[in-house]
Amino acid sequence: MQPFTYAVAVDSWSSRTLLLVVAVVVVSSSDVQKDGPEPEFLNPMENVTVALGREAILVCSVKNIGEHKVGWLKAEDQTILSLHERVVTENRRIDIDVDNNTYWRLKIRQLQRSDKGCYMCQINTNVMKKQIGCVDVKVPPDIKDEETISDITVNEGENATLACKAKGNPLPKITWRREDGHKITIRNNKSKKTSFDRVRGEPLLLNRVDRSQMGHYLCIASNDVPPAVSKRITLNVNFSPIVWVTNQIVSAPLHTHVRLECFVESFPLSVNYWSNEKGEMILQGQKYFIEEVKNNYKVNMYLNIQNLDKNDLGAYRCVARNSMGHANSSVRVHKIIMPTTVPPTTSTTTAATTTTTTTTLPSTTRMVPPSTVIPSPATKRKSHVIPGDRKSGGKTDDKTGLRINGVESAGEMETKSSSHRASRGSSRVRQSTISQSVSIMAELAFLTAATTSWSTGCPVDAAVGGLVSLALAVSPPLVLWLLN
């Protein structure tokens, strides 16, 4: 019989002290051989990689275990975790699972960073047999606050370095991007600008920064183990104020509201105010209403003047001051004289025209005796009936146009009047045309006679021809008078 000493160190979980346990096992080699062949490992133990908080399992495959024992130890410090099927460590997260005396599984639940390392599976043969398997714990990234800056401030034109450190397993990669979604501008040694949506690597170097690069930058650490983490780093760029206005002259009528606007850029943020021509600061009240809209280092200033009057006309100054300097810009307010509205003059030219109009008015039907005959105007001119004459059939005319035995309706009288006016107008037009024609013929005759007489050398004939022509010239009106 050969004694076999199996010495191990056991880690006491509660007292954190190391106890030395010496187990002396007396094993007869002849007895082991009687039990069968010596134990052997079936397959090499595989390493495992598990995320933090999950369960890690190492498998030790043994054949022909017989009366021999299997134990699990932490390879780094030889701490015994289990002897055969018994767990000897007080770490409650460790457990042993045996399947058919062949597969011996070491289980580590709720994996922690301290569980990372290699573990040994031993068989207590005459010459100790062992296998080693390692557990790698994947740890999600975490920002090292003590090695990462939070804010950095530089003057415009200087260089800025944004540092960000992270830990995790595997080692996290750092990616930079701007929180506002704008691109990151990188300048090389030749001042050439290049813009990127994202920049990989640590640290982030920004050369000769300007105000457009000011803002919040995100340092994002990731290593394929969720979740990724990020930290905000703010870059501040100091510069003196810049002030400008869009309209240097504003014109408006009196008794209206006027709005002046001014734009300021500065960092640190400046003290902004409005002043009048005398340099007096304008305070908010019933007359003036002041507004400010801030966006990062930009400020929009508005001055609202209520009910503009003559005293409000003049220059207004927008002023900005900070620790880097000061600036101002002015706006001048003018009065607009509104034009007076004059009603348009309408001139009407009336052309004299001869119009024949026949108006038909609604008539009233009356009972007229069958013997009553209403003569036309022409008949009235030709046969004037003397009152009381028997030949007229006992009919008499009166000055009002009413007859004794018959009465003309108002519509008939209007029709007769309109027809009479139309006939008189047509007659006048014909008379005027005849008169003009006769006059032209008389003048032509006069010229012909005069020319003939003078050409023959007879003045008497010329005089006679002139008298004849004169008579012909005077005759048209006389003829017309006679025709009437």
Side-chain angles (χ1 to χ4, degrees), residues 286-307:
Q286 293 182 351
K287 186 66 176 178
Y288 302 105
F289 179 69
I290 301 173
E291 299 176 80
E292 280 194 5
V293 180
K294 297 182 180 180
N295 181 17
N296 200 359
Y297 60 90
K298 299 178 181 180
V299 178
N300 297 351
M301 296 180 58
Y302 302 97
L303 176 63
N304 299 278
I305 305 175
Q306 311 294 328
N307 194 19

mmCIF file with all atom_site columns, all heavy atoms in Angstrom, residues 286-307:
data_model
loop_
_atom_site.group_PDB
_atom_site.id
_atom_site.type_symbol
_atom_site.label_atom_id
_atom_site.label_alt_id
_atom_site.label_comp_id
_atom_site.label_asym_id
_atom_site.label_entity_id
_atom_site.label_seq_id
_atom_site.pdbx_PDB_ins_code
_atom_site.Cartn_x
_atom_site.Cartn_y
_atom_site.Cartn_z
_atom_site.occupancy
_atom_site.B_iso_or_equiv
_atom_site.pdbx_formal_charge
_atom_site.auth_seq_id
_atom_site.auth_comp_id
_atom_site.auth_asym_id
_atom_site.auth_atom_id
_atom_site.pdbx_PDB_model_num
ATOM 1   N N   . GLN A 1 286 ? -44.475 100.848 -20.064 1.00 0.00 ? 286 GLN A N   1
ATOM 2   C CA  . GLN A 1 286 ? -45.640 100.944 -20.942 1.00 0.00 ? 286 GLN A CA  1
ATOM 3   C C   . GLN A 1 286 ? -45.249 101.405 -22.341 1.00 0.00 ? 286 GLN A C   1
ATOM 4   O O   . GLN A 1 286 ? -45.879 101.016 -23.328 1.00 0.00 ? 286 GLN A O   1
ATOM 5   C CB  . GLN A 1 286 ? -46.662 101.908 -20.346 1.00 0.00 ? 286 GLN A CB  1
ATOM 6   C CG  . GLN A 1 286 ? -47.288 101.410 -19.045 1.00 0.00 ? 286 GLN A CG  1
ATOM 7   C CD  . GLN A 1 286 ? -48.331 102.375 -18.518 1.00 0.00 ? 286 GLN A CD  1
ATOM 8   O OE1 . GLN A 1 286 ? -48.476 103.487 -19.029 1.00 0.00 ? 286 GLN A OE1 1
ATOM 9   N NE2 . GLN A 1 286 ? -49.065 101.960 -17.491 1.00 0.00 ? 286 GLN A NE2 1
ATOM 10  N N   . LYS A 1 287 ? -44.195 102.223 -22.434 1.00 0.00 ? 287 LYS A N   1
ATOM 11  C CA  . LYS A 1 287 ? -43.768 102.748 -23.723 1.00 0.00 ? 287 LYS A CA  1
ATOM 12  C C   . LYS A 1 287 ? -42.901 101.756 -24.486 1.00 0.00 ? 287 LYS A C   1
ATOM 13  O O   . LYS A 1 287 ? -43.010 101.620 -25.707 1.00 0.00 ? 287 LYS A O   1
ATOM 14  C CB  . LYS A 1 287 ? -42.999 104.053 -23.514 1.00 0.00 ? 287 LYS A CB  1
ATOM 15  C CG  . LYS A 1 287 ? -42.633 104.770 -24.813 1.00 0.00 ? 287 LYS A CG  1
ATOM 16  C CD  . LYS A 1 287 ? -43.869 105.254 -25.540 1.00 0.00 ? 287 LYS A CD  1
ATOM 17  C CE  . LYS A 1 287 ? -43.526 106.040 -26.779 1.00 0.00 ? 287 LYS A CE  1
ATOM 18  N NZ  . LYS A 1 287 ? -44.724 106.486 -27.513 1.00 0.00 ? 287 LYS A NZ  1
ATOM 19  N N   . TYR A 1 288 ? -42.018 101.059 -23.762 1.00 0.00 ? 288 TYR A N   1
ATOM 20  C CA  . TYR A 1 288 ? -41.061 100.151 -24.398 1.00 0.00 ? 288 TYR A CA  1
ATOM 21  C C   . TYR A 1 288 ? -41.241 98.730  -23.859 1.00 0.00 ? 288 TYR A C   1
ATOM 22  O O   . TYR A 1 288 ? -41.401 98.527  -22.658 1.00 0.00 ? 288 TYR A O   1
ATOM 23  C CB  . TYR A 1 288 ? -39.628 100.609 -24.137 1.00 0.00 ? 288 TYR A CB  1
ATOM 24  C CG  . TYR A 1 288 ? -39.339 102.012 -24.623 1.00 0.00 ? 288 TYR A CG  1
ATOM 25  C CD1 . TYR A 1 288 ? -39.224 103.069 -23.726 1.00 0.00 ? 288 TYR A CD1 1
ATOM 26  C CD2 . TYR A 1 288 ? -39.184 102.281 -25.977 1.00 0.00 ? 288 TYR A CD2 1
ATOM 27  C CE1 . TYR A 1 288 ? -38.965 104.354 -24.154 1.00 0.00 ? 288 TYR A CE1 1
ATOM 28  C CE2 . TYR A 1 288 ? -38.920 103.560 -26.423 1.00 0.00 ? 288 TYR A CE2 1
ATOM 29  C CZ  . TYR A 1 288 ? -38.810 104.597 -25.509 1.00 0.00 ? 288 TYR A CZ  1
ATOM 30  O OH  . TYR A 1 288 ? -38.554 105.873 -25.951 1.00 0.00 ? 288 TYR A OH  1
ATOM 31  N N   . PHE A 1 289 ? -41.180 97.778  -24.784 1.00 0.00 ? 289 PHE A N   1
ATOM 32  C CA  . PHE A 1 289 ? -41.240 96.363  -24.428 1.00 0.00 ? 289 PHE A CA  1
ATOM 33  C C   . PHE A 1 289 ? -40.013 95.677  -25.032 1.00 0.00 ? 289 PHE A C   1
ATOM 34  O O   . PHE A 1 289 ? -39.808 95.700  -26.249 1.00 0.00 ? 289 PHE A O   1
ATOM 35  C CB  . PHE A 1 289 ? -42.528 95.725  -24.947 1.00 0.00 ? 289 PHE A CB  1
ATOM 36  C CG  . PHE A 1 289 ? -42.643 94.261  -24.637 1.00 0.00 ? 289 PHE A CG  1
ATOM 37  C CD1 . PHE A 1 289 ? -42.828 93.823  -23.337 1.00 0.00 ? 289 PHE A CD1 1
ATOM 38  C CD2 . PHE A 1 289 ? -42.539 93.306  -25.649 1.00 0.00 ? 289 PHE A CD2 1
ATOM 39  C CE1 . PHE A 1 289 ? -42.929 92.480  -23.047 1.00 0.00 ? 289 PHE A CE1 1
ATOM 40  C CE2 . PHE A 1 289 ? -42.635 91.959  -25.365 1.00 0.00 ? 289 PHE A CE2 1
ATOM 41  C CZ  . PHE A 1 289 ? -42.827 91.549  -24.054 1.00 0.00 ? 289 PHE A CZ  1
ATOM 42  N N   . ILE A 1 290 ? -39.170 95.059  -24.181 1.00 0.00 ? 290 ILE A N   1
ATOM 43  C CA  . ILE A 1 290 ? -37.890 94.490  -24.610 1.00 0.00 ? 290 ILE A CA  1
ATOM 44  C C   . ILE A 1 290 ? -37.961 92.972  -24.538 1.00 0.00 ? 290 ILE A C   1
ATOM 45  O O   . ILE A 1 290 ? -38.449 92.405  -23.558 1.00 0.00 ? 290 ILE A O   1
ATOM 46  C CB  . ILE A 1 290 ? -36.737 95.015  -23.727 1.00 0.00 ? 290 ILE A CB  1
ATOM 47  C CG1 . ILE A 1 290 ? -36.671 96.547  -23.809 1.00 0.00 ? 290 ILE A CG1 1
ATOM 48  C CG2 . ILE A 1 290 ? -35.403 94.415  -24.158 1.00 0.00 ? 290 ILE A CG2 1
ATOM 49  C CD1 . ILE A 1 290 ? -35.679 97.169  -22.853 1.00 0.00 ? 290 ILE A CD1 1
ATOM 50  N N   . GLU A 1 291 ? -37.447 92.309  -25.598 1.00 0.00 ? 291 GLU A N   1
ATOM 51  C CA  . GLU A 1 291 ? -37.423 90.850  -25.678 1.00 0.00 ? 291 GLU A CA  1
ATOM 52  C C   . GLU A 1 291 ? -36.004 90.362  -25.969 1.00 0.00 ? 291 GLU A C   1
ATOM 53  O O   . GLU A 1 291 ? -35.240 91.045  -26.659 1.00 0.00 ? 291 GLU A O   1
ATOM 54  C CB  . GLU A 1 291 ? -38.347 90.348  -26.788 1.00 0.00 ? 291 GLU A CB  1
ATOM 55  C CG  . GLU A 1 291 ? -39.801 90.702  -26.637 1.00 0.00 ? 291 GLU A CG  1
ATOM 56  C CD  . GLU A 1 291 ? -40.599 90.230  -27.838 1.00 0.00 ? 291 GLU A CD  1
ATOM 57  O OE1 . GLU A 1 291 ? -40.932 89.026  -27.898 1.00 0.00 ? 291 GLU A OE1 1
ATOM 58  O OE2 . GLU A 1 291 ? -40.863 91.063  -28.714 1.00 0.00 ? 291 GLU A OE2 1
ATOM 59  N N   . GLU A 1 292 ? -35.673 89.159  -25.452 1.00 0.00 ? 292 GLU A N   1
ATOM 60  C CA  . GLU A 1 292 ? -34.400 88.501  -25.745 1.00 0.00 ? 292 GLU A CA  1
ATOM 61  C C   . GLU A 1 292 ? -34.658 87.023  -26.003 1.00 0.00 ? 292 GLU A C   1
ATOM 62  O O   . GLU A 1 292 ? -35.342 86.367  -25.219 1.00 0.00 ? 292 GLU A O   1
ATOM 63  C CB  . GLU A 1 292 ? -33.406 88.648  -24.586 1.00 0.00 ? 292 GLU A CB  1
ATOM 64  C CG  . GLU A 1 292 ? -32.687 89.979  -24.542 1.00 0.00 ? 292 GLU A CG  1
ATOM 65  C CD  . GLU A 1 292 ? -31.490 89.955  -23.597 1.00 0.00 ? 292 GLU A CD  1
ATOM 66  O OE1 . GLU A 1 292 ? -31.184 88.868  -23.060 1.00 0.00 ? 292 GLU A OE1 1
ATOM 67  O OE2 . GLU A 1 292 ? -30.863 91.008  -23.398 1.00 0.00 ? 292 GLU A OE2 1
ATOM 68  N N   . VAL A 1 293 ? -34.111 86.509  -27.107 1.00 0.00 ? 293 VAL A N   1
ATOM 69  C CA  . VAL A 1 293 ? -34.214 85.091  -27.453 1.00 0.00 ? 293 VAL A CA  1
ATOM 70  C C   . VAL A 1 293 ? -32.795 84.537  -27.529 1.00 0.00 ? 293 VAL A C   1
ATOM 71  O O   . VAL A 1 293 ? -32.013 84.947  -28.387 1.00 0.00 ? 293 VAL A O   1
ATOM 72  C CB  . VAL A 1 293 ? -34.953 84.886  -28.790 1.00 0.00 ? 293 VAL A CB  1
ATOM 73  C CG1 . VAL A 1 293 ? -35.039 83.406  -29.126 1.00 0.00 ? 293 VAL A CG1 1
ATOM 74  C CG2 . VAL A 1 293 ? -36.346 85.507  -28.727 1.00 0.00 ? 293 VAL A CG2 1
ATOM 75  N N   . LYS A 1 294 ? -32.445 83.589  -26.623 1.00 0.00 ? 294 LYS A N   1
ATOM 76  C CA  . LYS A 1 294 ? -31.083 83.069  -26.526 1.00 0.00 ? 294 LYS A CA  1
ATOM 77  C C   . LYS A 1 294 ? -30.998 81.682  -27.145 1.00 0.00 ? 294 LYS A C   1
ATOM 78  O O   . LYS A 1 294 ? -31.882 80.857  -26.984 1.00 0.00 ? 294 LYS A O   1
ATOM 79  C CB  . LYS A 1 294 ? -30.644 83.000  -25.057 1.00 0.00 ? 294 LYS A CB  1
ATOM 80  C CG  . LYS A 1 294 ? -30.578 84.366  -24.379 1.00 0.00 ? 294 LYS A CG  1
ATOM 81  C CD  . LYS A 1 294 ? -30.105 84.246  -22.944 1.00 0.00 ? 294 LYS A CD  1
ATOM 82  C CE  . LYS A 1 294 ? -30.038 85.616  -22.269 1.00 0.00 ? 294 LYS A CE  1
ATOM 83  N NZ  . LYS A 1 294 ? -29.573 85.510  -20.852 1.00 0.00 ? 294 LYS A NZ  1
ATOM 84  N N   . ASN A 1 295 ? -29.888 81.447  -27.858 1.00 0.00 ? 295 ASN A N   1
ATOM 85  C CA  . ASN A 1 295 ? -29.596 80.154  -28.461 1.00 0.00 ? 295 ASN A CA  1
ATOM 86  C C   . ASN A 1 295 ? -28.090 79.939  -28.410 1.00 0.00 ? 295 ASN A C   1
ATOM 87  O O   . ASN A 1 295 ? -27.356 80.441  -29.270 1.00 0.00 ? 295 ASN A O   1
ATOM 88  C CB  . ASN A 1 295 ? -30.116 80.086  -29.904 1.00 0.00 ? 295 ASN A CB  1
ATOM 89  C CG  . ASN A 1 295 ? -29.845 78.742  -30.551 1.00 0.00 ? 295 ASN A CG  1
ATOM 90  O OD1 . ASN A 1 295 ? -29.564 77.757  -29.861 1.00 0.00 ? 295 ASN A OD1 1
ATOM 91  N ND2 . ASN A 1 295 ? -29.904 78.691  -31.873 1.00 0.00 ? 295 ASN A ND2 1
ATOM 92  N N   . ASN A 1 296 ? -27.654 79.211  -27.379 1.00 0.00 ? 296 ASN A N   1
ATOM 93  C CA  . ASN A 1 296 ? -26.221 78.995  -27.159 1.00 0.00 ? 296 ASN A CA  1
ATOM 94  C C   . ASN A 1 296 ? -25.534 80.350  -26.968 1.00 0.00 ? 296 ASN A C   1
ATOM 95  O O   . ASN A 1 296 ? -25.888 81.087  -26.068 1.00 0.00 ? 296 ASN A O   1
ATOM 96  C CB  . ASN A 1 296 ? -25.632 78.192  -28.320 1.00 0.00 ? 296 ASN A CB  1
ATOM 97  C CG  . ASN A 1 296 ? -24.325 77.524  -27.930 1.00 0.00 ? 296 ASN A CG  1
ATOM 98  O OD1 . ASN A 1 296 ? -23.840 77.667  -26.810 1.00 0.00 ? 296 ASN A OD1 1
ATOM 99  N ND2 . ASN A 1 296 ? -23.735 76.783  -28.850 1.00 0.00 ? 296 ASN A ND2 1
ATOM 100 N N   . TYR A 1 297 ? -24.592 80.697  -27.844 1.00 0.00 ? 297 TYR A N   1
ATOM 101 C CA  . TYR A 1 297 ? -23.875 81.960  -27.694 1.00 0.00 ? 297 TYR A CA  1
ATOM 102 C C   . TYR A 1 297 ? -24.526 83.087  -28.499 1.00 0.00 ? 297 TYR A C   1
ATOM 103 O O   . TYR A 1 297 ? -24.012 84.205  -28.532 1.00 0.00 ? 297 TYR A O   1
ATOM 104 C CB  . TYR A 1 297 ? -22.412 81.796  -28.115 1.00 0.00 ? 297 TYR A CB  1
ATOM 105 C CG  . TYR A 1 297 ? -22.230 81.373  -29.556 1.00 0.00 ? 297 TYR A CG  1
ATOM 106 C CD1 . TYR A 1 297 ? -22.120 82.317  -30.570 1.00 0.00 ? 297 TYR A CD1 1
ATOM 107 C CD2 . TYR A 1 297 ? -22.161 80.032  -29.910 1.00 0.00 ? 297 TYR A CD2 1
ATOM 108 C CE1 . TYR A 1 297 ? -21.958 81.948  -31.887 1.00 0.00 ? 297 TYR A CE1 1
ATOM 109 C CE2 . TYR A 1 297 ? -21.992 79.653  -31.226 1.00 0.00 ? 297 TYR A CE2 1
ATOM 110 C CZ  . TYR A 1 297 ? -21.890 80.608  -32.207 1.00 0.00 ? 297 TYR A CZ  1
ATOM 111 O OH  . TYR A 1 297 ? -21.724 80.218  -33.513 1.00 0.00 ? 297 TYR A OH  1
ATOM 112 N N   . LYS A 1 298 ? -25.666 82.819  -29.142 1.00 0.00 ? 298 LYS A N   1
ATOM 113 C CA  . LYS A 1 298 ? -26.354 83.815  -29.957 1.00 0.00 ? 298 LYS A CA  1
ATOM 114 C C   . LYS A 1 298 ? -27.574 84.353  -29.220 1.00 0.00 ? 298 LYS A C   1
ATOM 115 O O   . LYS A 1 298 ? -28.277 83.604  -28.550 1.00 0.00 ? 298 LYS A O   1
ATOM 116 C CB  . LYS A 1 298 ? -26.795 83.214  -31.297 1.00 0.00 ? 298 LYS A CB  1
ATOM 117 C CG  . LYS A 1 298 ? -25.643 82.700  -32.153 1.00 0.00 ? 298 LYS A CG  1
ATOM 118 C CD  . LYS A 1 298 ? -26.166 82.089  -33.440 1.00 0.00 ? 298 LYS A CD  1
ATOM 119 C CE  . LYS A 1 298 ? -25.026 81.547  -34.302 1.00 0.00 ? 298 LYS A CE  1
ATOM 120 N NZ  . LYS A 1 298 ? -25.531 80.940  -35.554 1.00 0.00 ? 298 LYS A NZ  1
ATOM 121 N N   . VAL A 1 299 ? -27.798 85.681  -29.361 1.00 0.00 ? 299 VAL A N   1
ATOM 122 C CA  . VAL A 1 299 ? -28.941 86.330  -28.705 1.00 0.00 ? 299 VAL A CA  1
ATOM 123 C C   . VAL A 1 299 ? -29.606 87.258  -29.718 1.00 0.00 ? 299 VAL A C   1
ATOM 124 O O   . VAL A 1 299 ? -28.926 88.064  -30.377 1.00 0.00 ? 299 VAL A O   1
ATOM 125 C CB  . VAL A 1 299 ? -28.508 87.137  -27.469 1.00 0.00 ? 299 VAL A CB  1
ATOM 126 C CG1 . VAL A 1 299 ? -29.712 87.832  -26.841 1.00 0.00 ? 299 VAL A CG1 1
ATOM 127 C CG2 . VAL A 1 299 ? -27.830 86.239  -26.447 1.00 0.00 ? 299 VAL A CG2 1
ATOM 128 N N   . ASN A 1 300 ? -30.924 87.148  -29.858 1.00 0.00 ? 300 ASN A N   1
ATOM 129 C CA  . ASN A 1 300 ? -31.718 88.065  -30.677 1.00 0.00 ? 300 ASN A CA  1
ATOM 130 C C   . ASN A 1 300 ? -32.421 89.039  -29.736 1.00 0.00 ? 300 ASN A C   1
ATOM 131 O O   . ASN A 1 300 ? -33.161 88.620  -28.847 1.00 0.00 ? 300 ASN A O   1
ATOM 132 C CB  . ASN A 1 300 ? -32.745 87.323  -31.511 1.00 0.00 ? 300 ASN A CB  1
ATOM 133 C CG  . ASN A 1 300 ? -32.108 86.377  -32.515 1.00 0.00 ? 300 ASN A CG  1
ATOM 134 O OD1 . ASN A 1 300 ? -30.893 86.386  -32.710 1.00 0.00 ? 300 ASN A OD1 1
ATOM 135 N ND2 . ASN A 1 300 ? -32.920 85.557  -33.151 1.00 0.00 ? 300 ASN A ND2 1
ATOM 136 N N   . MET A 1 301 ? -32.177 90.346  -29.938 1.00 0.00 ? 301 MET A N   1
ATOM 137 C CA  . MET A 1 301 ? -32.777 91.383  -29.092 1.00 0.00 ? 301 MET A CA  1
ATOM 138 C C   . MET A 1 301 ? -33.820 92.159  -29.890 1.00 0.00 ? 301 MET A C   1
ATOM 139 O O   . MET A 1 301 ? -33.597 92.492  -31.062 1.00 0.00 ? 301 MET A O   1
ATOM 140 C CB  . MET A 1 301 ? -31.702 92.340  -28.577 1.00 0.00 ? 301 MET A CB  1
ATOM 141 C CG  . MET A 1 301 ? -30.669 91.703  -27.668 1.00 0.00 ? 301 MET A CG  1
ATOM 142 S SD  . MET A 1 301 ? -29.464 92.912  -27.116 1.00 0.00 ? 301 MET A SD  1
ATOM 143 C CE  . MET A 1 301 ? -30.506 94.116  -26.300 1.00 0.00 ? 301 MET A CE  1
ATOM 144 N N   . TYR A 1 302 ? -34.958 92.469  -29.228 1.00 0.00 ? 302 TYR A N   1
ATOM 145 C CA  . TYR A 1 302 ? -36.039 93.194  -29.882 1.00 0.00 ? 302 TYR A CA  1
ATOM 146 C C   . TYR A 1 302 ? -36.484 94.329  -28.962 1.00 0.00 ? 302 TYR A C   1
ATOM 147 O O   . TYR A 1 302 ? -36.672 94.131  -27.755 1.00 0.00 ? 302 TYR A O   1
ATOM 148 C CB  . TYR A 1 302 ? -37.223 92.279  -30.183 1.00 0.00 ? 302 TYR A CB  1
ATOM 149 C CG  . TYR A 1 302 ? -36.862 91.100  -31.067 1.00 0.00 ? 302 TYR A CG  1
ATOM 150 C CD1 . TYR A 1 302 ? -36.579 89.861  -30.509 1.00 0.00 ? 302 TYR A CD1 1
ATOM 151 C CD2 . TYR A 1 302 ? -36.796 91.237  -32.442 1.00 0.00 ? 302 TYR A CD2 1
ATOM 152 C CE1 . TYR A 1 302 ? -36.244 88.776  -31.307 1.00 0.00 ? 302 TYR A CE1 1
ATOM 153 C CE2 . TYR A 1 302 ? -36.462 90.157  -33.257 1.00 0.00 ? 302 TYR A CE2 1
ATOM 154 C CZ  . TYR A 1 302 ? -36.187 88.934  -32.677 1.00 0.00 ? 302 TYR A CZ  1
ATOM 155 O OH  . TYR A 1 302 ? -35.842 87.872  -33.464 1.00 0.00 ? 302 TYR A OH  1
ATOM 156 N N   . LEU A 1 303 ? -36.658 95.537  -29.564 1.00 0.00 ? 303 LEU A N   1
ATOM 157 C CA  . LEU A 1 303 ? -37.195 96.695  -28.850 1.00 0.00 ? 303 LEU A CA  1
ATOM 158 C C   . LEU A 1 303 ? -38.497 97.090  -29.523 1.00 0.00 ? 303 LEU A C   1
ATOM 159 O O   . LEU A 1 303 ? -38.518 97.460  -30.704 1.00 0.00 ? 303 LEU A O   1
ATOM 160 C CB  . LEU A 1 303 ? -36.205 97.858  -28.881 1.00 0.00 ? 303 LEU A CB  1
ATOM 161 C CG  . LEU A 1 303 ? -36.696 99.164  -28.256 1.00 0.00 ? 303 LEU A CG  1
ATOM 162 C CD1 . LEU A 1 303 ? -36.987 98.985  -26.769 1.00 0.00 ? 303 LEU A CD1 1
ATOM 163 C CD2 . LEU A 1 303 ? -35.688 100.292 -28.478 1.00 0.00 ? 303 LEU A CD2 1
ATOM 164 N N   . ASN A 1 304 ? -39.605 97.017  -28.780 1.00 0.00 ? 304 ASN A N   1
ATOM 165 C CA  . ASN A 1 304 ? -40.930 97.363  -29.295 1.00 0.00 ? 304 ASN A CA  1
ATOM 166 C C   . ASN A 1 304 ? -41.326 98.732  -28.743 1.00 0.00 ? 304 ASN A C   1
ATOM 167 O O   . ASN A 1 304 ? -41.377 98.920  -27.516 1.00 0.00 ? 304 ASN A O   1
ATOM 168 C CB  . ASN A 1 304 ? -41.961 96.311  -28.881 1.00 0.00 ? 304 ASN A CB  1
ATOM 169 C CG  . ASN A 1 304 ? -41.626 94.942  -29.438 1.00 0.00 ? 304 ASN A CG  1
ATOM 170 O OD1 . ASN A 1 304 ? -41.923 94.629  -30.573 1.00 0.00 ? 304 ASN A OD1 1
ATOM 171 N ND2 . ASN A 1 304 ? -40.987 94.116  -28.612 1.00 0.00 ? 304 ASN A ND2 1
ATOM 172 N N   . ILE A 1 305 ? -41.576 99.681  -29.648 1.00 0.00 ? 305 ILE A N   1
ATOM 173 C CA  . ILE A 1 305 ? -41.982 101.046 -29.264 1.00 0.00 ? 305 ILE A CA  1
ATOM 174 C C   . ILE A 1 305 ? -43.484 101.145 -29.496 1.00 0.00 ? 305 ILE A C   1
ATOM 175 O O   . ILE A 1 305 ? -43.961 100.987 -30.619 1.00 0.00 ? 305 ILE A O   1
ATOM 176 C CB  . ILE A 1 305 ? -41.226 102.100 -30.090 1.00 0.00 ? 305 ILE A CB  1
ATOM 177 C CG1 . ILE A 1 305 ? -39.711 101.897 -29.964 1.00 0.00 ? 305 ILE A CG1 1
ATOM 178 C CG2 . ILE A 1 305 ? -41.616 103.503 -29.653 1.00 0.00 ? 305 ILE A CG2 1
ATOM 179 C CD1 . ILE A 1 305 ? -38.896 102.818 -30.842 1.00 0.00 ? 305 ILE A CD1 1
ATOM 180 N N   . GLN A 1 306 ? -44.213 101.446 -28.423 1.00 0.00 ? 306 GLN A N   1
ATOM 181 C CA  . GLN A 1 306 ? -45.673 101.507 -28.500 1.00 0.00 ? 306 GLN A CA  1
ATOM 182 C C   . GLN A 1 306 ? -46.116 102.931 -28.831 1.00 0.00 ? 306 GLN A C   1
ATOM 183 O O   . GLN A 1 306 ? -45.579 103.909 -28.293 1.00 0.00 ? 306 GLN A O   1
ATOM 184 C CB  . GLN A 1 306 ? -46.298 101.079 -27.159 1.00 0.00 ? 306 GLN A CB  1
ATOM 185 C CG  . GLN A 1 306 ? -45.754 99.772  -26.597 1.00 0.00 ? 306 GLN A CG  1
ATOM 186 C CD  . GLN A 1 306 ? -46.114 98.584  -27.457 1.00 0.00 ? 306 GLN A CD  1
ATOM 187 O OE1 . GLN A 1 306 ? -47.157 98.553  -28.078 1.00 0.00 ? 306 GLN A OE1 1
ATOM 188 N NE2 . GLN A 1 306 ? -45.250 97.583  -27.478 1.00 0.00 ? 306 GLN A NE2 1
ATOM 189 N N   . ASN A 1 307 ? -47.083 103.052 -29.754 1.00 0.00 ? 307 ASN A N   1
ATOM 190 C CA  . ASN A 1 307 ? -47.710 104.348 -30.085 1.00 0.00 ? 307 ASN A CA  1
ATOM 191 C C   . ASN A 1 307 ? -46.648 105.416 -30.392 1.00 0.00 ? 307 ASN A C   1
ATOM 192 O O   . ASN A 1 307 ? -46.463 106.375 -29.651 1.00 0.00 ? 307 ASN A O   1
ATOM 193 C CB  . ASN A 1 307 ? -48.611 104.795 -28.937 1.00 0.00 ? 307 ASN A CB  1
ATOM 194 C CG  . ASN A 1 307 ? -49.532 105.936 -29.361 1.00 0.00 ? 307 ASN A CG  1
ATOM 195 O OD1 . ASN A 1 307 ? -49.758 106.150 -30.549 1.00 0.00 ? 307 ASN A OD1 1
ATOM 196 N ND2 . ASN A 1 307 ? -50.040 106.675 -28.387 1.00 0.00 ? 307 ASN A ND2 1
#
